[in-house]
Amino acid sequence: VLSEAADDINVEAYVIGGFVRDFFLKRGKAEDIDVVAVGSGIELAKKVSEKLPGKPPVKVFKTYGTAMLKIFDLEVEFVGARKESYTENSRNPEVEQGTLADDQNRRDFTINALALQLNKKDFGKLLDPFKGLEDLKTQLIKTPLDPEVTFSDDPLRMIRAIRFASQLHFKIDQKSIQAIKDHAERIDIVSKERIVTELNKILESEKPSVGFKLLHDTELLQRILPELTHLEGIDEIDGQKHKDNFWHTLEVVDNISLETKDVWLRWAALLHDIGKAPTKRFHKKIGWTFHGHEFKGSKMVYQLFKRLKLPLNDKMKLVQKLVLLSSRPIAIVDDDVTDSAVRRLIFDAGDHLDDLMMLCEADITTKNPNRYKKYHNNFKVVRNRIQE
Ligand code: ATP
């Protein structure tokens, strides 16, 4: 249908971007397809709709010159090929109609610039000016143009590189990594909403620590989530050390990700120790303490959500609650399990007891095997008491 419609109105049309990439990767089920028309995307969408049974409605986004059509479960987005030019002083590009090649030039990565022709004459022909297929095979994230140009045109692409590396288990090309390291500060001009979309995708990937490690190594993380990088490092006084709570946090996030796909529980794991940086103290008699870090941490969750323009709703309250209570079950293990302590825990956790126990189990990651075993055994006792 797409092919016939394009030929009917005599425009070149291509499938481009994520769909083509995932097709070659044999990756999952596609939910959306991007179609580029060398001409009007809106007109093409209308023609396609005419040819479909029931003529599904075309949603037109006038300001962007794009259109969306739902074909069964698939959302098909139609855009006209664009040429973008960025100037030093403006964050928004000048946009004009362009060729397919122009449109491929403005893409973020070679693997996202692959296009398949839809017109009958060359149906299925791959247009791959930047050797994206080769990069798919060697599992490389690489910008189509000089990374300095691609990343300065839209600095969000720095995080997108890391997002794709984390989602696909790909490496980022060395020049691109260097460009990110050299210009991490450029991320400051990008809107919080766009950053959070990518952060959520990193958190939703199979092993989120891959993405967070890259964010850390390129120094993007200290600009986006300084609360986390403040947890890094081990201090030693009088021969007493505490654990590195940053690297510990990444372990906890990976652990919980084995158990749940819920992004808010993964956020809770990511933030569960943030109160520890501002509450850290050393006492001669007891050593390192983080007294009151749970309260501080749950307050910081609110501030962090507000800053990142994350929704200040029940999901935030869930994250706050888990941060507030996350060390409680483990403290009960340490202090010996009493029924009243367990009863209070059940009461305070309310509807989120299972989530809390999942987070706590993910949190027991101590490297010392004996301690780990002791925790685990005692933790089971707490869980069993709860189930009784
Ligand atoms: P996913 O399925 O994980 O969302 P995707 O590749 O579809 O992956 P989108 O963010 O939906 O990711 O982007 C769709 C396509 O649009 C990309 O494949 C890329 O070609 C292009 N694109 C999106 N954002 C940018 C950007 N900031 N700069 C350049 N090209 C972009």
Side-chain angles (χ1 to χ4, degrees), residues 260-324:
T260 178
K261 290 197 184 315
D262 186 325
V263 76
W264 301 108
L265 298 183
R266 293 180 179 200
W267 268 106
L270 189 69
L271 304 181
H272 81 286
D273 269 349
I274 52 174
K276 283 191 172 171
T279 55
K280 184 162 83 178
R281 303 277 179 276
F282 183 79
H283 292 273
K284 270 213 151 26
K285 284 195 187 128
I286 31 182
W288 291 104
T289 68
F290 304 92
H291 188 69
H293 78 87
E294 308 89 336
F295 299 100
K296 181 77 188 163
S298 79
K299 279 194 193 134
M300 287 167 74
V301 167
Y302 172 79
Q303 286 151 2
L304 186 150
F305 268 52
K306 202 165 155 200
R307 189 186 76 236
L308 292 183
K309 304 213 165 79
L310 276 156
L312 303 175
N313 58 12
D314 284 353
K315 296 300 180 190
M316 180 205 65
K317 288 193 187 137
L318 164 67
V319 175
Q320 279 190 307
K321 177 170 254 181
L322 294 177
V323 170
L324 181 68

Side-chain angles (χ1 to χ4, degrees), residues 2 13-16 33-37 41 44 76-80 118:
L2 285 168
Y14 304 86
V15 183
I16 196 163
I33 301 190
D34 294 314
V35 172
V36 167
L44 177 61
V76 187
E77 173 131 10
F78 296 84
V79 297
L118 285 170

Side-chain angles (χ1 to χ4, degrees), residues 16-19 21-22 27 32 34 106-109 112-113 154 156-157 160 163-164 167 194 198 201:
I16 196 163
F19 178 85
R21 178 197 68 223
D22 291 347
R27 181 172 173 256
D32 43 51
D34 294 314
R106 70 164 185 93
R107 301 270 155 182
D108 46 7
F109 306 110
N112 285 342
D154 176 6
L156 181 73
R157 293 168 182 163
R160 285 177 61 86
R163 184 260 272 199
F164 285 113
Q167 276 183 326
R194 295 182 76 211
E198 299 303 324
K201 290 190 177 181

Side-chain angles (χ1 to χ4, degrees), residues 81-126:
R82 286 157 62 160
K83 183 175 169 153
E84 289 182 353
S85 30
Y86 290 80
T87 52
E88 281 276 317
N89 318 323
S90 159
R91 273 156 60 183
N92 297 320
E94 298 256 331
V95 178
E96 50 186 314
Q97 223 189 35
T99 61
L100 174 73
D102 291 328
D103 202 90
Q104 287 172 305
N105 269 320
R106 70 164 185 93
R107 301 270 155 182
D108 46 7
F109 306 110
T110 60
I111 59 167
N112 285 342
L114 297 166
L116 289 172
Q117 179 124 29
L118 285 170
N119 305 78
K120 207 176 230 135
K121 190 167 142 278
D122 283 312
F123 186 82
K125 182 173 156 195
L126 176 67

Side-chain angles (χ1 to χ4, degrees), residues 17 145 199 254 338 342 348:
L145 311 175
L199 269 186
D254 281 350
T338 66
V342 172
D348 288 343

